[in-house]
Amino acid sequence: MTPWWKNATIYQIYPASYKDSNDDGIGDLPGIISKLDYIKSLGVNAIWVCPMYDSPQHDMGYDVSNYEDLYAPYGTVADVEALIAGCHARGLRILLDLVINHTSSEHAWFKESRASKTAAKRDWYIWRPARYDADGTRRPPNNWRSFFGGSAWEWDAASEEYYLHLFAVQQPDLNWENGDTRKALYESAMEFWLRKGIDGFRVDTVNMYSKEQSFRDADILDPVNEWQPAASLVCNGPRIHEFMREMGAILGKYDAVAVGELPNTPEIADVLGYVSEKEKKLSMVFQFDIVDIGFGPDLRFNTAPRNWTLPDLRRRVRCTQRLMDGTTDGWSTAFLENHDQARSVSRWGSEASPELWARSAKMLAMLVASLSGTLYVYQGQEIGMVNAPADWDVSEYKDVDSINYYSFVREKSGNDPVALDAAKRSLDHLARDHSRLPMQWDGSPNAGFAGETAKPWMRVHDNYPTLNVERQTLDQTSVLSFWRDLLRVRRENPRVFAEGVFVDSDPLNESVFVFEKRSETQKLFVALNFMDEVQAVDLKEKLDQPFQTLLGNCDEEPLDALLPYEGRIYLVEV
Ligand code: ISL
Ligand code: CA
């Protein structure tokens, strides 16, 4: 029997930015609960809630100081219980975010660990002595770069050693080599919530738990910078699959689903190690092939808009679709957005006019919803939310990754206005902040995210008077109405939409993305124009059998041309 999650659509919620129920400017759990009927009305099957645990919020809750309690502005454990019940009463499942590569430096475990070199929990985190240059200068144990920039090691003056933090300074990495640490994590971060009846987890940075224990220097890939990317030494390490089996056993006890985040893992054989059904580890993974497109080779932000080609995009799509081609026992996901990404319309669509914005948002929706794997939709994607306006000041960017990058450029360039301007443009294009702007519910001040007098933690996008849920609910031709139709046709034809075999018939085509999906009894033809000009196509030849147009984003449907950003999905019964 197909498990529920294979044909499911999962809606991702960022608690801080979804709905503020008490006008303190921060979204909260009661806010999410008040929107469950809306979420259900989209036609999704489950929600994934980003971290709501207690946290000093140096990385928006991905720095957990207590797994068994809530960040007070979001609510209480009782609110989570009410959310679980509210979901289940509506036939929705609920996934929480599991962040166990690191904790907050304010977690009690880390406080105990840093107390002294001989502390009982010293070994729960990764401590190493300094290296010294010939002239006695103190240096970190190796040259690894943190994913948020700078050295991945922080000096602890009191206990005179460095600790490892692959992310922010306030996110020390846990030492998974220690069995007591793992046991404590499984109990506190996993079973505490599984016992409350959640249906599973989205697992943060799941492939980074096992580090290469030599802690040797990473190869110099970026000679102009001191700190080097260390992904190859910290991802998919020697003991990772032993840890995955342990985690899988716990998930299995509760029949829980797990979707793991799998960056820096391009080889399908390596991906399968995590999601092969017989291995009983994870249910599925987020591969980064598609969302990483156009990133700078060494620094994500070191790039320019439109720095990608359609053949490159379709190669990346093919890569992730391979997991579901019928020859593997693995499973993957389809997504274009999440809380770490800029908005998909701003990256791959058009904001040149309201018409092209709506059309390209629908075209991208057709792309992702026609792919096999479990479908993920990020809050606001269903109404085509876009990146923050480029004329906003850089101070509107709140994310640690953005702030660190901008200060890095400031320092490196000696405050050079040209370099800083380029850095700002990179952030305008790719910052994680774009997805974190408040959800746009209606046209009232603060977009219905919070009351009119509240001051939202992030500025509300200027376009909320026209781009919001309320308006799009009333409009049968809106992006929102389109998503509802799309999710309905996907639900009605699960074999070909969620499980079909993906075939790209014309991988080198630079402007029109035409692909097929095949099941035993059906074929989908999907034709998407990625250009802002009319494109000639020959769909007549492909559609030689009786076909049905399932959906399209334009009125006329000639078989020999596609309007700018036009897309169509045809169904053929075979
Ligand atoms: O940052 C990256 C590369 O520059 C990503 O590959 C990153 O490792 C990955 O997206 C991890 O993200 C997750 O863990 C982070 C947190 O900030 C993100 O929000 C979360 O999704 C640390 O917990
Ligand atoms: Ca609030």
Side-chain angles (χ1 to χ4, degrees):
M1 212 190 73
T2 308
W4 72 267
W5 43 267
K6 284 201 170 174
N7 295 332
T9 302
I10 300 184
Y11 184 73
Q12 183 190 350
I13 296 175
Y14 201 63
S17 305
Y18 201 56
K19 172 72 189 167
D20 175 14
S21 71
N22 62 350
D23 296 346
D24 64 354
I26 304 174
D28 45 53
L29 274 272
I32 299 173
I33 293 171
S34 73
K35 294 297 182 186
L36 284 176
D37 287 329
Y38 166 75
I39 294 166
K40 177 75 186 175
S41 81
L42 298 173
V44 301
N45 308 86
I47 61 171
W48 146 31
V49 185
C50 278
M52 72 303 158
Y53 312 103
D54 202 5
S55 161
Q57 305 290 331
H58 291 287
D59 184 21
M60 292 305 295
Y62 283 91
D63 48 332
V64 181
S65 55
N66 184 351
Y67 292 106
E68 301 174 27
D69 205 351
L70 259 75
Y71 177 50
Y74 290 162
T76 62
V77 171
D79 288 327
V80 183
E81 288 164 347
L83 178 62
I84 297 170
C87 285
H88 290 167
R90 290 168 179 81
L92 293 168
R93 320 251 180 169
I94 171 168
L95 277 60
L96 296 183
D97 214 306
L98 181 60
V99 192
I100 50 181
N101 174 69
H102 41 263
T103 65
S104 159
S105 50
E106 291 181 30
H107 195 291
W109 299 340
F110 188 71
K111 288 185 183 165
E112 288 177 52
S113 182
R114 83 184 315 171
S116 80
K117 275 188 189 131
T118 55
K121 288 202 171 62
R122 185 64 167 182
D123 188 45
W124 282 39
Y125 293 82
I126 301 172
W127 295 96
R128 288 290 180 281
R131 289 199 289 199
Y132 291 92
D133 290 348
D135 68 356
T137 310
R138 175 171 51 76
R139 295 227 177 267
N142 64 30
N143 67 356
W144 295 1
R145 179 197 292 170
S146 147
F147 287 112
F148 294 152
S151 168
W153 298 91
E154 180 73 4
W155 178 246
D156 182 51
S159 69
E160 299 199 297
E161 276 188 320
Y162 282 92
Y163 67 84
L164 179 72
H165 62 91
L166 294 182
F167 293 90
V169 173
Q170 300 86 353
Q171 290 169 300
D173 279 57
L174 286 150
N175 179 21
W176 275 68
E177 301 294 316
N178 183 322
D180 292 337
T181 314
R182 301 204 299 278
K183 229 189 261 158
L185 281 171
Y186 301 149
E187 170 52 34
S188 183
M190 294 180 73
E191 298 212 55
F192 179 83
W193 294 103
L194 287 166
R195 281 194 295 269
K196 294 191 184 298
I198 62 162
D199 300 284
F201 289 109
R202 174 269 189 183
V203 194
D204 194 60
T205 56
V206 79
N207 59 348
M208 300 190 195
Y209 305 154
S210 167
K211 278 93 177 168
E212 229 264 68
Q213 291 296 300
S214 70
F215 291 92
R216 63 185 154 91
D217 278 335
D219 294 344
I220 313 271
L221 299 176
D222 184 10
V224 301
N225 286 306
E226 184 172 12
W227 311 115
Q228 300 299 314
S232 62
L233 295 172
V234 300
C235 293
N236 311 316
R239 291 182 69 187
I240 191 69
H241 290 290
E242 178 191 340
F243 302 158
M244 288 296 104
R245 272 187 289 274
E246 286 182 1
M247 191 183 258
I250 294 169
L251 294 163
K253 267 195 348 200
Y254 299 86
D255 198 18
V257 63
V259 49
E261 206 195 16
L262 206 65
N264 305 302
T265 311
E267 296 299 326
I268 183 143
D270 295 333
V271 179
L272 260 180
Y274 290 85
V275 293
S276 160
E277 202 180 322
K278 63 175 179 301
E279 299 270 351
K280 300 200 178 356
K281 294 169 185 165
L282 301 173
S283 323
M284 54 187 148
V285 284
F286 292 124
Q287 295 166 269
F288 283 68
D289 306 61
I290 297 173
V291 292
D292 278 357
I293 196 172
F295 283 10
D298 308 313
L299 288 166
R300 164 188 189 156
F301 293 120
N302 205 350
T303 185
R306 297 272 155 186
N307 204 357
W308 52 276
T309 64
L310 190 56
D312 189 16
L313 179 65
R314 48 210 304 171
R315 187 183 56 73
R316 288 161 185 262
V317 170
R318 229 161 39 236
C319 221
T320 62
Q321 289 294 291
R322 271 221 42 209
L323 265 298
M324 281 78 55
D325 71 359
T327 67
T328 85
D329 70 340
W331 196 253
S332 193
T333 58
F335 69 102
L336 295 180
E337 291 190 19
N338 64 37
H339 65 292
D340 292 333
Q341 306 297 332
R343 290 292 185 175
S344 56
V345 195
S346 304
R347 290 181 74 181
W348 300 299
S350 172
E351 294 180 60
S353 69
E355 196 187 354
L356 288 186
W357 156 76
R359 203 190 285 160
S360 63
K362 293 174 191 173
M363 187 276 281
L364 291 166
M366 281 186 266
L367 166 62
V368 72
S370 300
L371 297 179
S372 286
T374 301
L375 176 62
Y376 286 78
V377 180
Y378 180 71
Q379 67 181 47
Q381 186 178 0
E382 78 273 27
I383 55 171
M385 281 178 67
V386 299
N387 280 3
D391 62 7
W392 281 12
D393 188 77
V394 71
S395 62
E396 303 292 353
Y397 289 84
K398 309 288 185 210
D399 177 24
V400 56
D401 199 17
S402 308
I403 291 171
N404 287 4
Y405 176 68
Y406 198 76
S407 351
F408 163 79
V409 174
R410 186 192 292 284
E411 242 167 70
K412 214 172 153 66
S413 71
N415 224 350
D416 172 39
V418 176
L420 284 173
D421 187 55
K424 170 67 167 44
R425 272 185 283 114
S426 295
L427 293 177
D428 293 343
H429 175 43
L430 278 184
R432 308 196 300 179
D433 302 80
H434 298 297
S435 55
R436 303 174 180 188
L437 265 54
M439 180 74 183
Q440 293 164 209
W441 293 104
D442 60 39
S444 67
N446 285 331
F449 161 70
E452 307 194 356
T453 55
K455 186 161 181 347
W457 76 279
M458 271 200 89
R459 180 168 166 185
V460 176
H461 201 294
D462 306 335
N463 66 12
Y464 75 87
T466 52
L467 201 171
N468 63 59
V469 170
E470 188 178 59
R471 252 179 103 118
Q472 294 195 23
T473 302
L474 301 172
D475 175 2
Q476 289 312 302
T477 68
S478 67
V479 176
L480 177 60
S481 300
F482 192 83
W483 263 107
R484 288 192 166 117
D485 289 343
L486 189 54
L487 293 182
R488 180 177 45 74
V489 296
R490 186 173 161 104
R491 270 197 318 277
E492 287 170 356
N493 305 281
R495 295 295 296 247
V496 71
F497 271 94
E499 300 175 60
V501 177
F502 174 91
V503 184
D504 186 345
S505 39
D506 189 10
L508 297 181
N509 191 310
E510 304 258 348
S511 41
V512 178
F513 193 169
V514 179
F515 61 86
E516 284 178 45
K517 293 286 300 294
R518 297 178 188 161
S519 75
E520 271 158 30
T521 55
Q522 294 177 317
K523 250 191 215 180
L524 287 184
F525 281 101
V526 182
L528 311 168
N529 181 2
F530 269 76
M531 308 303 279
D532 55 9
E533 284 164 4
V534 178
Q535 298 294 323
V537 286
D538 187 5
L539 296 174
K540 213 184 241 137
E541 193 195 343
K542 294 191 187 308
L543 295 167
D544 51 356
Q545 291 136 307
F547 65 86
Q548 177 196 347
T549 311
L550 281 184
L551 270 179
N553 59 359
C554 293
D555 294 335
E556 305 286 318
E557 290 171 12
L559 290 178
D560 59 357
L562 291 172
L563 291 177
Y565 295 105
E566 180 169 6
R568 295 180 214 150
I569 307 177
Y570 299 102
L571 181 69
V572 179
E573 307 283 342
V574 292

